[in-house]
Amino acid sequence: MPERIPSHAEIKRWRQYLADERAEASVYRDLAKRRDGEEKSILLALAAAEGRHEKHWLTLLGEHAGPPVRPSLRNQLLGLLARRFGSVFVLALAQRSESRSPYSHDADATDAMAADEAIHEEVVRGLATRGRIRLSGSFRAAVFGANDGLVSNLSLVAGMAATGVSSQVVLFSGVAGLLAGALSMGAGEFVSVRSQRELLDASQPTQVTLTAGPSLDVENNELVLVYLARGMSREAAEHRAAERMGQFSCDCDPSLSLHPENFEEPDEHESLGTAWGAAGSSFCFFASGAIIPIIPFLFGMTGIGSLVLACVLVGIALMGTGAVVGLLSGASPLWRGLRQLAIGMGAAAATYLLGLLFGGVVGI
């Protein structure tokens, strides 16, 4: 039976798959250069898997492989970022790329290749999760603070402008809104972190059992209750109480050791940080967002043009923060950006309409 000659469309598609497999393998190798230990070996294994896929397309193409073609724009961007940065953003993009593999509905790709791509997405998701955890606290504060500043101050400026007051009054209102909001965010974050730390400190067990244990009445004491309250079983609590009262000198069971309890340190990624640091960062994040709506007024612009420009500047910033959220979450940057834009512009439009209503009522 003569060998089937692939069509022009098939050759074009296979060559594109080949280019993308090579690009993805290169991305994983570049990321591996910036890692060590287990993460490095995982990334190199992913690159090797992409190499197996590459061989599949080379076999199908045979003499039609031709000169290399350019990978997709997405993979070109991914490769550039991997060579320059190697951050969690690259892993998030790689996760999204793996999730959009066409192999599951392409008859020329094997079932094993489609399954590989699905597994690759989960592997990259796991690697990206480590970076997301490290970013989660500071990233949440940055996005929340900046977006709060953008939306609240644009809404304030839009509402004031709609009442018909002068541009100078709008500017002063925007500056006041920036300072009031930033100070409020900073103070709120300070109180929040300080209060949470105080609650954790109040819940941390003390070592009073070491000093008080030997002096307690053997028959009538509440030492067992201390350990029961800490979550020990009754057997373990009674054994620990006997140790503290000097009845045991052996270290029969390390989990019931005579030595002071070694309480686990909180995970470094979940640490609260200092209250002053949290307050300062919240102040700066809010102010960085809140200053954007008043930029046109700072440069002396007046009238509806200044408000339109403020909306455009805020819209660009909202699209940017939304896109970053989308990238990190492995979702569509465009849709996340549009969601942020819709929320922000919706709030500004509502206050603008209220401003028109208020200005008409009081006759400003």
Side-chain angles (χ1 to χ4, degrees):
M1 182 176 180
E3 183 179 350
R4 185 177 74 86
I5 300 176
S7 67
H8 176 73
E10 287 176 327
I11 292 173
K12 182 179 179 181
R13 188 173 74 254
W14 296 347
R15 292 180 70 190
Q16 186 63 62
Y17 287 160
L18 175 62
D20 287 337
E21 291 291 358
R22 286 172 172 170
E24 289 174 7
S26 178
V27 165
Y28 291 133
R29 284 193 292 268
D30 287 332
L31 289 173
K33 293 176 183 177
R34 298 173 178 270
R35 303 294 200 279
D36 50 30
E38 185 181 66
E39 286 194 22
K40 184 183 185 74
S41 63
I42 291 173
L43 289 164
L44 290 175
L46 289 175
E50 304 296 357
R52 293 194 300 272
H53 298 175
E54 175 187 343
K55 290 178 181 177
H56 172 80
W57 299 119
L58 279 172
T59 301
L60 282 182
L61 284 164
E63 62 182 11
H64 302 288
V69 300
R70 297 172 69 87
S72 65
L73 184 61
R74 182 176 69 247
N75 279 319
Q76 290 183 52
L77 174 63
L78 198 55
L80 176 65
L81 293 174
R83 289 190 295 273
R84 296 289 185 272
F85 304 107
S87 66
V88 63
F89 289 94
V90 181
L91 287 170
L93 282 170
Q95 176 189 332
R96 179 164 172 77
S97 178
E98 295 286 4
S99 70
R100 300 173 70 178
S101 172
Y103 293 170
S104 59
H105 54 266
D106 194 312
D108 296 318
T110 66
D111 291 341
M113 291 170 65
D116 281 349
E117 295 297 300
I119 293 299
H120 291 179
E121 180 192 358
E122 287 305 306
V123 173
V124 177
R125 186 194 303 273
L127 293 175
T129 297
R130 304 182 187 189
R132 287 172 177 139
I133 291 173
R134 288 191 289 267
L135 280 175
S136 60
S138 57
F139 181 70
R140 180 200 61 80
V143 171
F144 176 71
N147 274 275
D148 195 11
L150 285 164
V151 175
S152 65
N153 226 29
L154 176 63
S155 299
L156 174 62
V157 167
M160 290 298 297
T163 63
V165 298
S166 67
S167 295
Q168 189 176 29
V169 173
V170 175
L171 173 60
F172 288 155
S173 299
V175 172
L178 184 157
L179 292 174
L183 289 169
S184 175
M185 286 284 291
E189 197 71 19
F190 178 89
V191 171
S192 173
V193 173
R194 176 62 66 86
S195 299
Q196 189 171 358
R197 185 172 292 282
E198 289 170 350
L199 285 173
L200 292 176
D201 289 343
S203 302
Q204 184 74 11
T206 68
Q207 296 301 318
V208 68
T209 56
L210 287 173
T211 55
S215 302
L216 291 173
D217 187 306
V218 174
E219 298 297 331
N220 300 291
N221 71 79
E222 290 78 34
L223 199 52
V224 172
L225 300 182
V226 172
Y227 298 120
L228 288 174
R230 292 183 184 179
M232 288 186 178
S233 68
R234 177 162 292 276
E235 179 185 5
E238 291 174 351
H239 193 290
R240 179 61 62 84
E243 284 185 336
R244 289 293 182 265
M245 298 180 70
Q247 295 182 28
F248 295 131
S249 59
C250 67
D251 191 11
C252 312
D253 184 345
S255 67
L256 307 175
S257 172
L258 183 65
H259 303 291
E261 294 94 341
N262 294 318
F263 301 111
E264 293 185 1
E265 293 293 327
D267 189 279
E268 61 175 338
H269 305 318
E270 298 176 353
S271 59
L272 295 174
T274 65
W276 283 110
S281 61
S282 292
F283 179 96
C284 293
F285 288 137
F286 183 95
S288 67
I291 197 172
I292 293 178
I294 62 175
I295 288 177
F297 300 95
L298 287 172
F299 284 92
M301 291 186 64
T302 59
I304 192 66
S306 58
L307 183 58
V308 170
L309 180 57
C311 289
V312 170
L313 294 175
V314 170
I316 293 172
L318 288 172
M319 286 288 291
T321 57
V324 171
V325 172
L327 287 176
L328 277 178
S329 62
S332 169
L334 176 61
W335 286 112
R336 290 295 185 274
L338 291 174
R339 183 181 68 179
Q340 298 285 84
L341 180 63
I343 293 171
M345 291 300 114
T351 53
Y352 184 81
L353 293 175
L354 289 172
L356 286 175
L357 179 62
F358 181 75
V361 171
V362 301
I364 293 180

